[in-house]
Amino acid sequence: MAGSPRVGVLALQGDVREHAALLEVLGADVTLVRRPEELALVDGLVIPGGESTVIDKLARLFGLQQPIRDAIADGMPVLGTCAGLILLADEVVDAIDGQQSFGGLDAVVRRNAFGRQAESFEAELTVPAFDEPVTAAFIRGPVVEAVGPRASVLATLPDGRVVGVEQDGLLGLSFHPEITNETRFHRRFLDRVSRR
Ligand code: GLN
């Protein structure tokens, strides 16, 4: 693919601006996606952190759920952070009644997994794919309870809990690289987009 990768940020709710700004710094051509026509313009999508229940409802209201599911099935790379990871997971534990995900990522993800005392915290992660350690910010984040055979572990907490998964072009993170100047996950996503 020639030129800048054309990527979207799902812009229904959540920390859309932080992702868009980081992707632009990394040289991507960024579209904010609120309608199916905008999704059709991009070769990759970031699903931001925020509230998965709200993003799910708005995606259905705006007619985006099926187009996003189709794009994932078609192999479009997607980076989902926090609520975005929940929306990528095939199975969500502690969802609210009627909550749906886009799915595609062969993993079981539990919402709000870190309880009240540790709703927000920073931790140093093990990410074998990178040379240097990752300091990650968690904000009422989910945890990956099970990783299915089609997915693999990308990041773990010191206690071994899984907080990052990938499967072909899908990357799901429990934390927020976009708020700690951590660019490596977004670079990895853009690399997947460019290789398609
Ligand atoms: N707790 C939120 C949810 O269930 C996720 C939090 C976040 O994205 N920072 O969607």
Side-chain angles (χ1 to χ4, degrees):
M1 192 191 301
S4 307
R6 299 192 67 172
V7 297
V9 180
L10 186 61
L12 302 174
Q13 190 264 341
D15 68 337
V16 174
R17 278 161 191 263
E18 289 79 358
H19 282 284
L22 176 50
L23 291 163
E24 272 164 7
V25 166
L26 296 176
D29 178 358
V30 180
T31 298
L32 300 186
V33 173
R34 295 190 184 87
R35 299 181 304 146
E37 301 81 70
E38 290 153 349
L39 182 68
L41 298 174
V42 301
D43 298 312
L45 184 69
V46 171
I47 306 178
E51 181 47 56
S52 58
T53 56
V54 175
I55 298 174
D56 162 41
K57 275 188 194 144
L58 292 175
R60 285 190 265 159
L61 200 63
F62 289 18
L64 273 166
Q65 187 195 58
Q66 195 57 47
I68 289 173
R69 285 181 171 170
D70 292 345
I72 291 172
D74 189 43
M76 177 183 71
V78 181
L79 168 63
T81 63
C82 208
L85 164 63
I86 296 167
L87 284 153
L88 275 180
D90 280 344
E91 193 181 329
V92 180
V93 179
D94 278 352
I96 65 164
D97 269 0
Q99 180 174 359
Q100 297 177 18
S101 68
F102 302 124
L105 189 62
D106 188 9
V108 180
V109 171
R110 177 181 293 276
R111 290 178 65 228
N112 303 330
F114 294 101
R116 287 233 171 125
Q117 278 98 18
E119 279 188 348
S120 299
F121 62 98
E122 285 200 357
E124 189 137 310
L125 306 182
T126 305
V127 185
F130 302 152
D131 295 334
E132 303 288 324
V134 170
T135 302
F138 291 78
I139 306 167
R140 301 193 70 218
V143 76
V144 180
E145 286 204 337
V147 180
R150 285 178 293 131
S152 54
V153 173
L154 181 62
T156 48
L157 283 166
D159 65 10
R161 280 184 289 178
V162 177
V163 290
V165 208
E166 67 182 339
Q167 178 183 327
D168 304 320
L170 304 179
L171 277 84
L173 309 174
S174 300
F175 50 94
H176 289 270
E178 74 284 1
I179 65 170
T180 54
N181 285 320
E182 169 55 68
T183 62
R184 288 170 289 179
F185 297 99
H186 288 73
R187 286 180 201 275
R188 195 171 179 87
F189 161 68
L190 291 176
D191 180 61
R192 300 289 184 267
V193 175
S194 301
R195 280 201 213 169
R196 249 201 111 196

